[in-house]
Amino acid sequence: MTTTPLDTLDFDGEPFDVLAWSLALEPATSPAPQPSTAPAPQQSIAPAAPSVPAMQPSTVPVQRPTAPARSVTAPVVAGNVPADPISALLQEVRSELVAAHLSAMDVQTALQRRALDTLGRHEQSARTVQEPVPAPATWAEQSFAVMIDHAPATGLTVSAAPGHPVVFELPPPATTMNAFKFLARTPITAVDGTALAALGRGEVAAVFGPAYDQEGVNPDIRLTEGTHANLTEVLEIAGREGPWARGRLRATCRIDGPDPVTAATELTWQAAQVLAVRAGLQLCLAGARFQAGEPLEVTVSAPMAGPAELIADVVQIDLLPRPWLRVDAEIRCAGVVVARVHGLTLEIREEQGLPIGPDAGGEIPRFLGRRNVFGQRALLGEFHMTHSARGDLGIALGPEFSAYAGRRATRMPNHGLQLCDRVMAVDGRRGRLEKGSSHTEYDSPADSWYYTESANASMPNVVYMETSLQSALLLGYFLGATLTSPQEDFSLRNLDGSATVLREVDLRDKTIQQTSRLIDTTVLVGVVLQTFSYELAVDGEPFYAGESLFGFFNAPALANQNGLDNGEFVPTWLDSQEQRPAVRVIDVAARRAAGTGIPCATGHLAMLDRIETVDGAGAFGLGYLRATRAVGAGDWFFGYHFYLDPVMPGSLGVEAVIQAMQEWTVDTGLAAELVAPEFVLPVGVALSWRYRGQILAGDEQMTLEVHIKSVERRPGRIRVIADASVWKPAMRIYELIDVAVELRDADAQPW
């Protein structure tokens, strides 16, 4: 491996200035890295309580991989001292700009930390058990602080003392973006007594379907039988119901014992078990078992005996640090509420001593419990992907990555933008960066936020881009791209790419199979560049393919951004006209509010409210569009992309351009030529992009322009193709070639 200081990095024949100057400040020569012989640390295991473990940075010695370097030439000034006063002045100015950008990044990261709780990241809830007071002699309302323990062979042990309520800080309701995604899907919404008995025998797949089959790897995952009360029939299980929109269970039950606190606790515990297995929490781990969590509160207001009804609501559910959920419940006899249970927590825990993630070198020590919908064993599952997004990177990828705890590090996007679920296979070795490939999967539920909020008839372009790019970046990261310099805090950025839709397909409730191939790696000072090809398939047939360049940047390299025009400010076409042409405004917000006709993008995908258009103008004389979007720290995407490194996804900038083109297509009357038009992603058009900058919260505004260059017609179809650019203040940062949108009639023949 060679490391080279740079002034200008030549890439594909044209200057690539994102690394300029900051890399020139590195020493003119760098010693060859020496491999470390220190043993790799053992994988860390998070504490038992369902909270994100404290993350303390540490230094992990690793074997430095070797990789072939591209040929790079650059002028180097001896001693890094500018040869003339003008150069010295420029160096001083550029250094100040880099320092200012680094400071802005630190502020934005701090703001993101404060906002994480509202995005579903679970912190230990504040809870106080106050001193017990004497219990009332009558059936006035009584509250009990309850501790429960559970062993599969003996059932529940309940200890309760009367006292003031346990205080819980409740999370906000789930949104479409942070809603928990079930690990398995089933049409089963009710469970009778026979099925409950099967759950008691651990026959989860027999009740909920083959997607829940683990072939005996979790024999202790079974419904507990109570000594004082039992569920008799589950009447309803809803995935996104209840006051927190995280799930609800309604069941009939039978109360047989004299202890109302134990009876209420047993019934709620059983309800939590049914909710947990239906969500697929046990599928994350092999050798798993149920474990009771923190103190809960039981309030009893009347005698309990005979038949009853239970309603249990999921308050919170997550996979970090282990799969867990918390429920509240109320129990009714003869229609009257007789007991309430508040804050019962169920965790899925592995058997002590069993590995739950990769060993050093990325080796998978055993089957970790996750199978896909086809019954095939996964190397890594949703549990590991969630840790890679916002948890312990050591659990996700191996102990070499534990040193990144609490640091700005490369991570997957999180929650609704986390679009890779499982790693099925990896062909390659950690530290060998010259080649490798992976097969990953993403399940796309029909109720996903992007289907509801897109103007497209199926999946929007932003998800096509993200799911393919995320699977590729995961391969490079897993193989150890950042381990070339483990002391650095690397940020990942996509730089270039081209991708083509191969066929029209409805992806609702489909498993997308992602194949990624590492083409080459270039290791520089503070930067690692990797090129990948990728292909997406469903039902065995490819539907999307592309190639892309990623960069892993340390902070100085990331801060040194010159955009696409080598630091020069290039105005939009409209602003560059000596005589301002007549501008027509498309009121997107009004059309969205009307909710009629061809759908607009809504919710999280609503990127634009107003578009300026000049008819018969632009670079190709067919039409010109310009739009702006205010940017602020409260924008939703900063919390999801990435943890501790918030930045707007470049794919959302592309999505904004597509939306502008869709609105122009409707506004110009092209849709009137069709009977029942709907938007689809055009087949066979290679979209190309170049990113040379990023939208941060402090940028305040994003501006885009579009130059329409063709309008094509076929029976039942209209296709519009354009070139476009995106600006942050004072800098053009994205260039897009052959962006395409298409309107079709539902029964139109393929293009």
Side-chain angles (χ1 to χ4, degrees):
M1 182 200 309
T2 60
T3 54
T4 309
L6 303 177
D7 283 327
T8 300
L9 168 62
D10 290 332
F11 174 74
D12 287 347
E14 57 184 83
F16 173 40
D17 193 48
V18 69
L19 310 180
W21 200 271
S22 63
L23 297 185
L25 301 181
E26 299 286 347
T29 58
S30 301
Q34 299 299 317
S36 169
T37 58
Q42 296 299 312
Q43 181 171 328
S44 62
I45 303 297
S51 60
V52 175
M55 298 180 177
Q56 299 298 329
S58 59
T59 301
V60 181
V62 297
Q63 181 80 21
R64 290 176 180 262
T66 59
R70 294 178 178 176
S71 176
V72 180
T73 59
V76 179
V77 179
N80 295 318
V81 177
D84 57 77
I86 298 299
S87 296
L89 178 60
L90 288 173
Q91 177 170 335
E92 182 178 354
V93 171
R94 292 294 296 278
S95 297
E96 291 295 329
L97 289 173
V98 168
H101 188 95
L102 289 172
S103 177
M105 290 170 62
D106 290 339
V107 170
Q108 184 162 328
T109 299
L111 288 171
Q112 191 200 39
R113 287 181 186 271
R114 294 178 58 185
L116 281 173
D117 283 339
T118 65
L119 303 177
R121 178 189 175 200
H122 173 65
E123 297 287 359
Q124 184 78 13
S125 296
R127 37 185 58 78
T128 303
V129 182
Q130 301 189 14
E131 291 298 321
V133 298
T138 64
W139 276 106
E141 187 172 274
Q142 306 172 67
S143 293
F144 297 82
V146 175
M147 294 291 294
I148 63 174
D149 189 18
H150 172 250
T154 60
L156 285 175
T157 300
V158 178
S159 58
H164 293 298
V166 181
V167 178
F168 292 84
E169 291 181 356
L170 297 177
T175 68
T176 56
M177 279 298 283
N178 69 15
F180 182 80
K181 179 182 172 184
F182 285 13
L183 276 72
R185 313 283 286 189
T186 178
I188 304 300
T189 59
V191 180
D192 61 17
T194 300
L196 286 172
L199 292 178
R201 298 189 296 269
E203 299 169 2
V204 179
V207 175
F208 292 121
Y212 294 79
D213 188 9
Q214 289 186 287
E215 292 188 1
V217 300
N218 282 327
D220 289 336
I221 297 295
R222 58 183 64 234
L223 187 64
T224 303
E225 183 177 356
T227 57
H228 291 73
N230 286 284
L231 300 180
T232 56
E233 184 177 6
V234 176
L235 305 175
E236 178 187 12
I237 316 175
R240 293 188 181 177
E241 300 296 328
W244 293 277
R246 292 185 171 96
R248 165 169 282 189
L249 179 146
R250 186 169 60 88
T252 60
C253 45
R254 186 185 66 255
I255 301 171
D256 297 322
D259 183 350
V261 174
T262 300
T265 305
E266 288 179 341
L267 291 172
T268 306
W269 179 252
Q270 291 173 10
Q273 290 175 318
V274 175
L275 286 163
V277 296
R278 186 176 183 270
L281 298 187
Q282 74 284 357
L283 302 176
C284 289
L285 301 170
R289 56 184 171 80
F290 294 128
Q291 176 175 297
E294 306 144 347
L296 60 138
E297 178 196 357
V298 176
T299 301
V300 179
S301 56
M304 296 170 53
E309 181 185 39
L310 174 139
I311 298 176
D313 292 310
V314 178
V315 178
Q316 187 62 292
I317 180 170
D318 203 351
L319 299 181
L320 301 183
R322 300 294 188 275
W324 66 279
L325 57 77
R326 179 176 297 125
V327 300
D328 285 355
E330 65 179 30
I331 299 164
R332 301 172 181 174
C333 291
V336 177
V337 176
V338 295
R340 289 185 172 87
V341 177
H342 190 55
L344 184 145
T345 301
L346 178 149
E347 304 169 14
I348 305 290
R349 300 292 300 189
E350 74 279 4
E351 184 178 334
Q352 188 172 2
L354 288 180
I356 58 172
D359 284 343
E363 297 294 328
I364 307 299
R366 64 175 186 126
F367 174 46
L368 299 176
R370 186 63 170 122
R371 295 180 183 272
N372 67 4
V373 70
F374 310 109
Q376 300 164 329
R377 291 187 174 191
L379 297 181
L380 304 172
E382 291 89 336
F383 172 66
H384 304 93
M385 297 301 97
T386 304
H387 271 286
S388 76
R390 51 190 174 91
D392 185 341
L393 287 168
I395 290 177
L397 302 173
E400 301 98 313
F401 292 85
S402 294
Y404 291 118
R407 293 164 52 184
R408 184 196 304 271
T410 301
R411 288 185 175 271
M412 297 284 282
N414 61 72
H415 289 98
L417 276 183
Q418 183 181 323
L419 302 174
C420 182
D421 288 333
R422 293 173 296 279
V423 177
M424 301 303 298
V426 175
D427 181 10
R429 296 180 61 85
R430 181 159 295 169
R432 300 290 299 273
L433 299 179
E434 65 272 18
K435 64 179 181 178
S437 64
S438 67
H439 298 280
T440 58
E441 292 182 343
Y442 170 66
D443 299 327
S444 181
D447 59 356
S448 296
W449 63 276
Y450 44 80
Y451 290 120
T452 303
E453 299 178 2
S454 175
N456 284 18
S458 185
M459 182 180 284
N461 180 78
V462 61
V463 182
Y464 272 64
M465 290 184 71
E466 282 296 317
T467 186
S468 56
L469 296 175
Q470 288 178 29
S471 59
L473 78 87
L474 182 63
L475 170 63
Y477 199 34
F478 183 85
L479 292 177
T482 64
L483 298 180
T484 56
S485 299
Q487 75 282 358
E488 297 280 8
D489 288 345
F490 282 104
S491 293
L492 177 84
R493 298 294 184 262
N494 185 219
L495 299 173
D496 295 286
S498 178
T500 305
V501 178
L502 305 178
R503 63 187 177 101
E504 288 183 16
V505 59
D506 189 345
L507 296 168
R508 291 175 175 86
D509 283 333
K510 297 290 188 177
T511 294
I512 298 172
Q513 298 164 315
Q514 307 146 326
T515 300
S516 304
R517 295 179 178 86
L518 174 61
I519 297 174
D520 61 40
T521 300
T522 301
V523 181
L524 307 168
V525 178
V527 179
V528 180
L529 301 175
Q530 292 189 311
T531 303
F532 298 88
S533 65
Y534 45 81
E535 181 180 85
L536 305 184
V538 68
D539 298 330
E541 292 292 328
F543 66 88
Y544 187 73
E547 184 172 309
S548 197
L549 169 69
F550 287 94
F552 298 86
F553 298 94
N554 68 5
L558 188 65
N560 185 49
Q561 299 179 81
N562 291 323
L564 289 163
D565 304 301
N566 295 320
E568 295 184 13
F569 174 67
V570 174
T572 65
W573 176 89
L574 186 59
D575 290 333
S576 67
Q577 302 305 300
E578 293 184 3
Q579 184 174 357
R580 186 176 178 86
V583 172
R584 181 167 49 84
V585 173
I586 302 175
D587 191 340
V588 182
R591 195 170 85 82
R592 185 183 301 121
T596 58
I598 301 174
C600 284
T602 60
H604 301 87
L605 283 181
M607 298 296 293
L608 304 173
D609 289 334
R610 183 177 181 273
I611 302 168
E612 297 175 300
T613 180
V614 182
D615 297 324
F620 307 100
L622 294 179
Y624 172 83
L625 317 175
R626 188 179 72 168
T628 60
R629 186 190 195 281
V631 176
D635 281 322
W636 67 269
F637 39 78
F638 290 128
Y640 295 84
H641 184 278
F642 303 96
Y643 173 67
L644 299 185
D645 184 20
V647 60
M648 189 184 94
S651 56
L652 273 181
V654 178
E655 189 68 23
V657 168
I658 289 174
Q659 289 177 23
M661 294 174 63
Q662 289 175 331
E663 294 301 320
W664 180 85
T665 303
V666 173
D667 184 75
T668 53
L670 294 175
E673 302 178 21
L674 306 178
V675 177
E678 57 187 11
F679 282 110
V680 294
L681 295 181
V683 172
V685 181
L687 164 65
S688 299
W689 64 89
R690 296 176 64 217
Y691 301 150
R692 292 298 183 268
Q694 55 196 330
I695 300 289
L696 303 175
D699 289 327
E700 297 184 350
Q701 182 172 279
M702 175 185 75
T703 301
L704 64 85
E705 73 171 10
V706 179
H707 298 266
I708 305 296
K709 67 180 183 182
S710 71
V711 178
E712 305 173 24
R713 292 172 171 84
R714 292 194 180 179
R717 292 181 181 270
I718 296 173
R719 177 178 290 184
V720 178
I721 301 177
D723 293 346
S725 293
V726 176
W727 280 257
K728 63 191 296 179
M731 185 183 296
R732 189 171 70 101
I733 56 173
Y734 302 169
E735 181 179 70
L736 312 176
I737 305 298
D738 288 344
V739 192
V741 301
E742 188 170 317
L743 274 170
R744 67 157 193 205
D745 281 327
D747 58 351
Q749 293 298 309
W751 188 273

